[in-house]
């Protein structure tokens, strides 16, 4: 249902306006007319227009009451009085107490991991907690382990950021100097061994950096995770909790996961159950795939600030392309002392071929193939958009072709005689 073009909402204290933009190429402009409001923890500036585009699912929350105006076609827009924001604020207050204690005792601040099934608001809660922390003058580290719908870099990677200012309403957290590791798939299940390896590496690097940055260390870390929580997914979460030595696990909307973690985590880890917001919108697998495509497009072309990527030719001799993971062999065929799982983290050279076209390759900081490619972070990404002619050239190299007298491909090539050879 499409609603009217201009809408004004009066929000009472402790309530939120939720709206979605669905129609293609649609733009909705939000403006706070009076009072104070925030969007997922970022304070909104009065009388400043904020634009939202197709696919946006937004909640404008107010602690003190406000008047908000929406211009443009929204798929749905309503005011909700029931929100879990007070509970989330209490979590923030508890984390803040731990930061104060860490500052006084010169120890590490709280390392918090947000877990739960898909579409329960994990990324949103992570964003709210980071925004509240930074608004208190903290410099927390944001870690995103969600390779499918993460918010640092492109899908298929995990990463971390030092958060120094609240997330921008339209563009999220500033991505000035993220620490990113390559995974290459949209779910950890595609290569568990590799996923656990890079999660372990990210945790190590963050621990090292915290040793040299006291402010970040006392502010703590907030980790967002994937929505895969059963079977191997649970093992992946437990491994991440161990690797980052988490102090707090916030479980959103899943009692089974909460009880399992309570049972399995060491006693000093606080496992807290939190309700999900009624506003969180479920996404279909098509919407998830579209969101992934949008993130990749955003990486190359920017979101609000446009980027102008340029293409250039590189000789295949000048670059080395690798993929991670060799085909796994049955245990009986493995050389002595090697596990079948080792093949999953093996770096294999790939020869350039048409199969690379339209693929996104990660550019590693590793100095050479013998350096530890898996343990090196990424400099950026390139998209292979080679014109087919170059590939034809490569594929046909060193072959002799017959030139036919046939006038076109639909003429009888087999029955025409030859003009010569090239
Ligand atoms: P998860 O990380 O658990 O998959 P997200 O935090 O990404 O879930 O939330 C899913 C979607 O719901 C996002 O598009 C987000 O903007 C939206 N959303 C979250 N909280 C609210 C809310 N209170 N009102 C409206 N939309 C919301």
């Amino acid at each position: 249902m499409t609603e009217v073009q201009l809408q004004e909402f009066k929000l009472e204290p402790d309530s939120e306006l939720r709206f979605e933009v669905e129609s293609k190429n649609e733009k909705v402009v939000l403006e706070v007319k009076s009072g104070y409001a925030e969007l997922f923890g970022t304070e909104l500036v009065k009388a400043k227009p904020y634009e939202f585009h197709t696919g946006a699912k937004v909640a404008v929350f107010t602690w003190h009451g406000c008047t908000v105006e929406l211009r443009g076609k929204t798929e749905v827009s309503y005011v909700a009085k029931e929100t879990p924001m007070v509970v989330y604020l209490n979590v923030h207050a508890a984390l803040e107490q731990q930061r104060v204690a860490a500052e006084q005792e010169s120890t590490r601040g709280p390392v918090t991991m947000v877990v739960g099934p898909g579409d329960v608001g994990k990324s949103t809660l992570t964003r709210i907690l980071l925004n509240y922390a930074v608004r208190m003058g903290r410099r927390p580290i944001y870690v995103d382990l969600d390779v499918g719908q993460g918010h640092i870099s492109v899908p298929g990677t995990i990463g971390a950021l030092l958060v120094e200012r609240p997330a921008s309403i339209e563009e999220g957290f500033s991505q000035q100097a993220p620490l990113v590791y390559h995974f290459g798939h949209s779910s950890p299940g595609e290569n568990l061994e590799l996923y656990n390896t890079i999660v372990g590496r990210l945790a190590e690097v963050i621990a090292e950096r915290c040793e040299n940055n006291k402010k970040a260390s006392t502010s703590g870390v907030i980790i967002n995770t994937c929505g895969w929580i059963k079977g191997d997914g649970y093992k992946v979460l437990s491994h991440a909790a161990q690797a980052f030595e988490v102090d707090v696990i916030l479980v959103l909307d899943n009692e089974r996961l909460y009880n399992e973690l309570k049972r399995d985590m060491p006693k000093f880890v606080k496992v807290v159950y939190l309700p999900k917001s009624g506003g969180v919108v479920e996404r279909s697998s098509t919407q998830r795939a579209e969101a992934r495509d949008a993130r990749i497009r955003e990486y190359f072309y920017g979101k609000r600030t446009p980027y102008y990527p340029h293409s250039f030719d590189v000789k295949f001799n000048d670059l080395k392309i690798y993929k991670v993971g060799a085909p796994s062999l049955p245990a009986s065929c493995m050389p002595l002392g090697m596990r079948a799982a080792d093949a999953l983290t093996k770096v294999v050279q790939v020869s350039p071929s048409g199969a690379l076209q339209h693929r996104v390759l990660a550019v590693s900081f590793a100095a050479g193939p013998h350096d530890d490619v898996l343990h090196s972070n990424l400099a950026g990404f390139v998209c292979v958009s080679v014109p087919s002619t170059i590939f034809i050239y490569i594929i046909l190299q060193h072959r002799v072709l017959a030139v036919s007298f046939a006038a076109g491909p639909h003429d009888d090539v087999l029955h025409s005689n030859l003009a010569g050879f090239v």
Side-chain angles (χ1 to χ4, degrees), residues 16-20 40 55-60 78 83-84 116-125 146 149 151 224-225 227 252 277-283 288:
E16 70 185 16
L17 165 68
R18 297 172 184 159
F19 65 91
E20 290 176 38
F40 302 144
K57 298 169 191 1
V58 185
V60 179
Y78 64 97
T83 76
D119 297 331
V120 288
K122 295 182 298 300
S123 316
T124 309
L125 176 61
D146 187 352
Q149 304 286 321
H151 289 84
N224 181 34
T225 57
L252 274 170
S277 164
V280 179
V281 187
E282 281 186 22
R283 289 163 292 187
R288 287 167 178 276

Side-chain angles (χ1 to χ4, degrees), residues 167-182:
S168 136
I169 298 292
E170 283 130 348
E171 299 196 59
F173 290 108
S174 158
Q175 306 248 334
Q176 288 261 300
L179 180 67
V180 181
Y181 287 87
H182 169 75

